[in-house]
Amino acid sequence: MIVTRPPMGWNSWNTFEENISDQLIRETADIMVSTGLRDAGYDYLVIDDCWSLRERGADGRIVPNPEKFPNGMKSVADYVHSKGLKFGMYSCAGGLTCASYPGSFDHEFLDADTFASWGVDFLKYDYCFHSPIMEGKVLYRRMGTALENCGRDILFSACTWGADHSEDWIKETSASMWRSTNDIHDDWEVVKSLIRQQFPLIPYQSQGCFNDMDMLVVGLHGNGGENIGSGMTDLEYRTHFSIWCLFASPLFIGCDIRNMSEATKEILLNKELIAINQDPASRQLIHLKQDFRLDAEAFARPLANGDIAIGMVNLNDHKSRSVIGLDQFGLNPGTGKTLLMHNVWTGEDIKVKNGVFVRSLEAHDCEIWRGKVVDI
Ligand code: GLA
């Protein structure tokens, strides 16, 4: 399966962990449509860990837990499809999943066949309890080969957490996205560490196999699963979402979308940011040089229509400035060209003078601009 844009959707883990059910999935599917999330691009609905019984059935196949899913998985998939959505499930390269349910090790072709028979469109494939004597690349290649040959397009989402230098081999498998970070928490310090963990992996981000910075915690406000964190402010959620969009990470919502605040909806449905995330060129992000060590971070990404997406991000706990020299894009004043900047959160438009754009940002704040090349 060939994937050219970062996949988008919803995943059950961050909020519900093992408290998943047929009813929750159907209600979530309904809300993905009625809130406009589906039409904004969030079209995969993914059930994470804890959906099965603890033992495989007599025929060797994984059995959905009949208390959680009394109608079976095909029925859930049919409902999800009837809403114009795609259906995702979860398994693991180990003998057990991270929550100790059966994993797919040594059952890869059988499980791929089962998922295909249920109408699954997406498989998140975790890395817990994997064999200590077989290399991860072989385990992921095996499931990749099984999915490519199961008779159905199933997007392979490798969840290796960036372990074992997976950036070096993940594209040898048939994965269309790979987890390039540790698990996210609903906690600013963790989100900040994931952003920093991503810096050396920027050159690996590409069309066909996207670096996945983990699911969004936007809107959790401390109401997520056990130990996932005590919450962030809406300003921090906005920064988190902005970075995931700018870095072209897959966007999987993790909050209970049945109870979203207006602020959460506004963040998740920002069309201009989603357009930057989904830009058809998926070009490599530029980590821009700053004047001083204490300055805020700045990033840019050349977009398919010639515009330049620019993010100025203050990860510091104090007010900091961020500086963009247009010479970093070849736009020295001598060219007679500059950027007309459009702020995708506030709508503000500013023409850059003298080849330098300087902004002062509050702690944890960020500004995302879309710059258009114009005459000075
Ligand atoms: C791992 C993954 C998480 C989630 C849990 C489920 O920690 O990284 O995203 O899938 O397992 O147990």
Side-chain angles (χ1 to χ4, degrees):
M1 183 176 181
I2 300 167
V3 174
T4 55
R5 311 275 172 103
M8 297 171 65
W10 178 90
N11 175 299
S12 59
W13 183 253
N14 283 342
T15 296
F16 297 99
E17 297 186 340
E18 63 182 348
N19 302 312
I20 47 177
S21 67
D22 179 292
Q23 190 188 341
L24 170 71
I25 299 308
R26 286 175 204 252
E27 286 177 10
T28 299
D30 293 346
I31 301 285
M32 285 174 83
V33 178
S34 63
T35 52
L37 286 169
R38 180 198 64 188
D39 291 345
Y42 298 93
D43 57 356
Y44 282 100
L45 192 165
V46 182
I47 300 179
D48 207 280
D49 205 348
C50 310
W51 56 267
S52 75
L53 290 179
R54 297 272 178 195
E55 304 287 339
R56 287 179 178 265
D59 57 359
R61 292 186 190 254
I62 308 187
V63 186
N65 183 328
E67 282 175 18
K68 295 177 182 174
F69 298 100
N71 306 304
M73 284 305 176
K74 171 93 174 55
S75 162
V76 179
D78 287 347
Y79 188 79
V80 169
H81 291 149
S82 77
K83 296 285 161 180
L85 295 162
K86 292 180 265 185
F87 182 52
M89 290 196 69
Y90 166 100
S91 189
C92 187
L96 294 173
T97 70
C98 297
S100 297
Y101 291 84
S104 291
F105 177 61
D106 223 11
H107 295 80
E108 291 85 354
F109 282 82
L110 182 68
D111 290 353
D113 181 71
T114 305
F115 292 131
S117 74
W118 289 339
V120 168
D121 307 296
F122 177 108
L123 182 69
K124 173 173 170 180
Y125 203 54
D126 223 326
Y127 202 35
C128 285
F129 300 108
H130 62 271
S131 161
I133 54 166
M134 282 182 72
E135 286 193 85
K137 59 180 154 192
V138 177
L139 301 173
Y140 278 86
R141 277 187 210 151
R142 191 147 75 180
M143 184 49 107
T145 304
L147 291 175
E148 288 294 306
N149 291 281
C150 72
R152 189 175 169 86
D153 270 347
I154 300 185
L155 191 155
F156 189 25
S157 166
C159 183
T160 56
W161 328 304
D164 298 338
H165 292 290
S166 25
E167 67 275 15
D168 289 338
W169 48 263
I170 201 69
K171 293 190 183 98
E172 297 173 353
T173 74
S174 307
S176 297
M177 53 190 265
W178 68 287
R179 262 282 294 288
S180 51
T181 60
N182 300 330
D183 278 15
I184 197 165
H185 286 206
D186 188 15
D187 178 319
W188 171 254
E189 289 303 317
V190 175
V191 169
K192 186 168 77 178
S193 76
L194 299 194
I195 294 169
R196 294 205 163 125
Q197 192 184 348
Q198 195 60 25
F199 292 168
L201 298 173
I202 287 172
Y204 295 91
Q205 172 69 292
S206 71
Q207 240 176 29
C209 188
F210 291 92
N211 292 14
D212 171 15
M213 295 171 72
D214 203 359
M215 298 161 299
L216 300 165
V217 290
V218 177
L220 258 70
H221 286 297
N223 297 314
E226 220 181 325
N227 303 323
I228 198 165
S230 54
M232 304 186 349
T233 64
D234 281 328
L235 179 140
E236 290 165 343
Y237 286 135
R238 207 178 60 163
T239 296
H240 156 44
F241 185 72
S242 299
I243 293 283
W244 266 233
C245 286
L246 193 64
F247 280 50
S249 173
L251 300 176
F252 280 81
I253 298 169
C255 69
D256 183 352
I257 57 173
R258 298 170 306 175
N259 308 306
M260 279 187 292
S261 69
E262 285 310 309
T264 298
K265 275 189 219 163
E266 206 184 298
I267 294 171
L268 295 173
L269 288 165
N270 184 311
K271 288 203 164 55
E272 289 181 79
L273 263 172
I274 293 173
I276 290 172
N277 177 264
Q278 298 284 301
D279 185 71
S282 291
R283 293 203 178 96
Q284 184 172 327
L285 191 73
I286 309 168
H287 195 169
L288 295 167
K289 291 262 182 298
Q290 291 295 301
D291 277 10
F292 296 106
R293 199 170 51 83
L294 290 182
D295 284 343
E297 301 284 351
F299 304 92
R301 187 144 61 85
L303 303 177
N305 73 342
D307 290 357
I308 300 174
I310 290 174
M312 307 167 102
V313 185
N314 186 6
L315 299 177
N316 301 326
D317 295 332
H318 50 82
K319 197 169 181 164
S320 309
R321 58 169 210 171
S322 174
V323 182
I324 311 281
L326 299 202
D327 51 353
Q328 298 189 73
F329 315 119
L331 294 172
N332 308 32
T335 59
K337 301 288 178 190
T338 188
L339 286 179
L340 179 62
M341 305 287 269
H342 173 73
N343 185 317
V344 305
W345 286 114
T346 65
E348 190 183 2
D349 291 311
I350 300 178
K351 197 170 183 179
V352 179
K353 304 275 183 223
N354 304 318
V356 185
F357 190 55
V358 184
R359 305 290 292 174
S360 180
L361 302 173
E362 296 298 332
H364 310 176
D365 200 2
C366 85
E367 293 183 355
I368 304 286
W369 299 85
R370 187 167 177 131
K372 181 163 281 307
V373 179
V374 293
D375 292 336
I376 286 179

